[in-house]
Amino acid sequence: MIINKVKYLITFIFVFSFFTKSHSLEPNIFVQSTVNRASQILSDNISKESKIEELKKVAIDTVDIRGIGFYTLGKFRKNLSDEQKKEYSELFEKYFLKSFSSRLAEYSNPKIDVQSQEKLSDTYTIVSSILVATSERPEVKIQWRVYTKNPEKPLIRDLIIEGLSLARTQKEEFASIIQSNDGDINALFKSLEKFINS
Amino acid sequence: MRKLIISLLISLFSVSFSFADTDGENSLSKKNPEVKDCFERVNRATFAFNQGLDNAIFEPVAKGYRKLPSPIRIGTSNFLSNLSNLITIPNNILQGDIKTAGINTARLAVNSTIGILGIFDAASQMGFVKDYQKEDYGQTLGSWGVGEGCYLVLPIFGPSTVRDLTGSLTSVMGGDPWYNITVRKDTQYFEESDYYYSRGGDGINFRAKNIDSFENLEKNSMDFYASVRSLYLQDRRKKIMNSNEVVDTQDDSDWEEITSN
């Protein structure tokens, strides 16, 4: 009787751990599948506008837009009221999707090969990949900072192209806009609105 | 005097626009310091001037250059890359990277002879390390622990820092053998104009390779000046850290604070 119970328990633990593991998504596989989705859209025979709309869906699904938004605010995020945080998050998402999709839509069928990954902590893994060279440009190294706090739903937080972080560049650009306006966060909100409506 | 100023500016061009990596290690902190833009108002005015100049001259020339057949562009790029060894090798030595200095010296010898003045990268074909990384005096000063100082935008030549400007001055004060044998005429084999052609070619080559990236960045930036400044400073820090690895070059602490998703 006891032996049977132990057998059941062991079987349960085994099955449970198997399912727990099978639900987590390895960051390198996640990045490669995201890249493949984007490449498929870019190579599809559809209008540029349709491509942009499809790319936006991929970004919403795979990028931690809210997290990037707060990162790019830097030290200024600590002074925001809840209302300002809400307004900023909404503006940033619109800004990000417009900026990201129009940047990406310029490429036609880019080939990206994921090569390796390095776990930095429980919450971050860096995935390394190569944008394969064409006759027009050399090979480009791209690293992806993947947020893995929820291993079942990893999210992209930064792209580091040849060692240059896009999120950091964005952060310093935002800081420059705020500082040029005597630390007024509303100046950044206005710039974001202007960009979104342009 | 005029020649000295022209030489200085042309030399600065190579530093301002060189995007190279290195292999060694140094003890610099990976913390990303606040940008020190001490002369921002003047820098922004110079940046606007440079953009006008770029639109009128450099970009059209670079676009024309891109239409040349690929073998010509590759040959030009190889020739200029081979020439840059003359400044890379002394900097490899100054940074204590004797092994890379040896490899680069052998590469220079092979490419200048078998590779017909560097037009063909014969050294890479023969199994030398393929990923050649440029070095300059600004990087060497950085690897010695000299801070970047204030950010500068130079007329025509673009982004720099006080440290990189000092490095460029070192080049024209005897630190660049190519400058010495052309402008200073240490030998009778080259003309002064050879130096200016090579430096101008460097700039056009760089601009041509980055036309799409620049256009994209300009189109999607709310403050293009700040974006270029950020990218330039990140790039220089990365080169001085001698690493392409994000764990070496990027400070993670500010990411760790972000928990919302």
Side-chain angles (χ1 to χ4, degrees):
Chain A
M1 191 70 179
I2 292 171
I3 291 172
N4 274 346
K5 274 187 179 173
V6 171
K7 271 183 184 172
Y8 281 127
L9 186 64
I10 290 169
T11 309
F12 174 76
I13 291 168
F14 179 76
V15 170
F16 180 78
S17 64
F18 174 78
F19 274 101
T20 310
K21 254 192 163 173
S22 69
H23 279 105
S24 70
L25 184 53
E26 280 297 311
N28 56 349
I29 294 168
F30 160 70
V31 168
Q32 188 68 68
S33 77
T34 305
V35 163
N36 292 348
R37 278 174 73 188
S39 290
Q40 182 61 48
I41 294 165
L42 290 167
S43 60
D44 278 351
N45 191 18
I46 53 175
S47 68
K48 191 177 170 185
E49 288 69 31
S50 305
K51 284 182 185 177
I52 287 175
E53 287 312 307
E54 290 301 311
L55 288 169
K56 281 181 182 176
K57 286 179 198 166
V58 175
I60 289 169
D61 197 28
T62 58
V63 180
D64 182 11
I65 300 174
R66 188 177 153 82
I68 296 171
F70 282 115
Y71 169 80
T72 52
L73 266 186
K75 63 183 180 186
F76 299 101
R77 71 174 166 266
K78 286 165 188 160
N79 305 325
L80 293 189
S81 66
D82 287 345
E83 201 175 311
Q84 282 177 315
K85 278 182 184 168
K86 188 170 175 290
E87 185 185 357
Y88 173 73
S89 287
E90 287 169 4
L91 280 172
F92 184 80
E93 178 166 324
K94 287 179 191 160
Y95 160 80
F96 179 87
L97 290 174
K98 182 175 179 180
S99 165
F100 157 86
S101 52
S102 69
R103 277 182 198 200
L104 214 58
E106 302 293 330
Y107 292 92
S108 55
N109 199 13
K111 187 171 178 345
I112 293 180
D113 288 337
V114 169
Q115 300 199 313
S116 61
Q117 63 178 341
E118 183 179 358
K119 187 176 177 181
L120 298 184
S121 64
D122 285 342
T123 47
Y124 287 109
T125 294
I126 298 294
V127 176
S128 297
S129 66
I130 294 287
L131 175 62
V132 178
T134 67
S135 59
E136 291 301 310
R137 52 155 181 77
E139 178 183 282
V140 179
K141 288 175 191 149
I142 302 177
Q143 292 175 300
W144 311 67
R145 182 182 290 274
V146 181
Y147 184 53
T148 53
K149 190 175 181 187
N150 178 357
E152 293 171 19
K153 178 73 179 152
L155 291 166
I156 296 160
R157 277 197 158 175
D158 192 11
L159 246 65
I160 299 117
I161 301 170
E162 291 287 337
L164 309 178
S165 157
L166 293 189
R168 175 160 293 280
T169 307
Q170 189 86 81
K171 182 182 181 180
E172 290 177 0
E173 185 186 10
F174 282 15
S176 174
I177 292 169
I178 298 168
Q179 278 161 356
S180 307
N181 289 276
D182 302 322
D184 183 7
I185 194 83
N186 291 310
L188 176 64
F189 291 3
K190 277 184 193 157
S191 294
L192 288 168
E193 277 166 6
K194 195 175 159 193
F195 184 89
I196 292 161
N197 297 322
S198 63
Chain B
M1 187 62 190
R2 189 183 65 87
K3 283 180 180 175
L4 181 67
I5 291 169
I6 291 172
S7 308
L8 171 64
L9 292 175
I10 297 247
S11 175
L12 288 173
F13 192 70
S14 62
V15 170
S16 300
F17 286 124
S18 62
F19 276 66
D21 302 308
T22 52
D23 291 320
E25 283 185 12
N26 66 57
S27 58
L28 285 179
S29 162
K30 67 177 178 181
K31 290 278 177 196
N32 300 109
E34 291 273 318
V35 175
K36 279 182 266 178
D37 199 345
C38 323
F39 314 105
E40 186 169 349
R41 192 168 288 188
V42 179
N43 282 344
R44 280 186 183 271
T46 313
F47 184 78
F49 169 76
N50 286 349
Q51 267 191 291
L53 211 59
D54 182 63
N55 290 337
I57 300 172
F58 296 123
E59 191 179 352
V61 173
K63 279 184 173 168
Y65 173 79
R66 277 222 309 193
K67 287 182 181 157
L68 292 174
S70 180
I72 294 179
R73 282 183 284 127
I74 292 171
T76 308
S77 187
N78 285 344
F79 171 78
L80 294 168
S81 174
N82 188 50
L83 205 55
S84 72
N85 269 300
L86 291 172
I87 211 163
T88 294
I89 293 164
N91 281 288
N92 288 144
I93 295 166
L94 288 170
Q95 291 175 31
D97 194 356
I98 306 300
K99 186 183 166 195
T100 307
I103 292 170
N104 287 337
T105 304
R107 178 195 293 275
L108 176 69
V110 168
N111 282 350
S112 301
T113 50
I114 301 170
I116 312 173
L117 300 175
I119 293 169
F120 300 99
D121 188 5
S124 291
Q125 303 295 329
M126 289 168 66
F128 284 71
V129 181
K130 245 187 170 176
D131 203 11
Y132 164 66
Q133 313 288 0
K134 288 180 187 172
E135 291 286 345
D136 58 52
Y137 290 102
Q139 284 166 259
T140 296
L141 288 171
S143 74
W144 290 350
V146 177
E148 63 198 14
C150 294
Y151 176 71
L152 304 170
V153 180
L154 304 169
I156 306 172
F157 309 109
S160 187
T161 60
V162 171
R163 180 187 57 213
D164 293 342
L165 183 63
T166 309
S168 302
L169 285 169
T170 310
S171 294
V172 294
M173 286 165 66
D176 179 0
W178 178 234
Y179 180 85
N180 296 344
I181 61 174
T182 50
V183 180
R184 290 187 163 196
K185 295 196 186 299
D186 285 357
T187 69
Q188 299 303 312
Y189 300 110
F190 296 97
E191 295 296 321
E192 189 177 338
S193 56
D194 294 335
Y195 183 80
Y196 303 130
Y197 286 135
S198 67
R199 289 294 174 244
D202 247 349
I204 298 300
N205 189 39
F206 171 78
R207 188 69 182 89
K209 281 181 180 171
N210 292 284
I211 279 182
D212 297 330
S213 318
F214 275 19
E215 269 179 8
N216 214 321
L217 184 69
E218 187 171 6
K219 192 174 139 194
N220 288 290
S221 292
M222 294 186 295
D223 185 344
F224 186 41
Y225 168 86
S227 296
V228 171
R229 182 181 63 191
S230 173
L231 289 170
Y232 175 80
L233 294 175
Q234 281 187 65
D235 185 64
R236 293 300 289 176
R237 285 169 199 155
K238 181 194 74 168
K239 287 170 183 168
I240 291 159
M241 294 291 291
N242 294 333
S243 175
N244 251 339
E245 296 301 317
V246 67
V247 286
D248 295 332
T249 58
Q250 298 285 334
D251 176 17
D252 283 333
S253 62
D254 41 2
W255 271 116
E256 293 297 342
E257 288 176 26
I258 310 292
T259 53
S260 61
N261 66 346

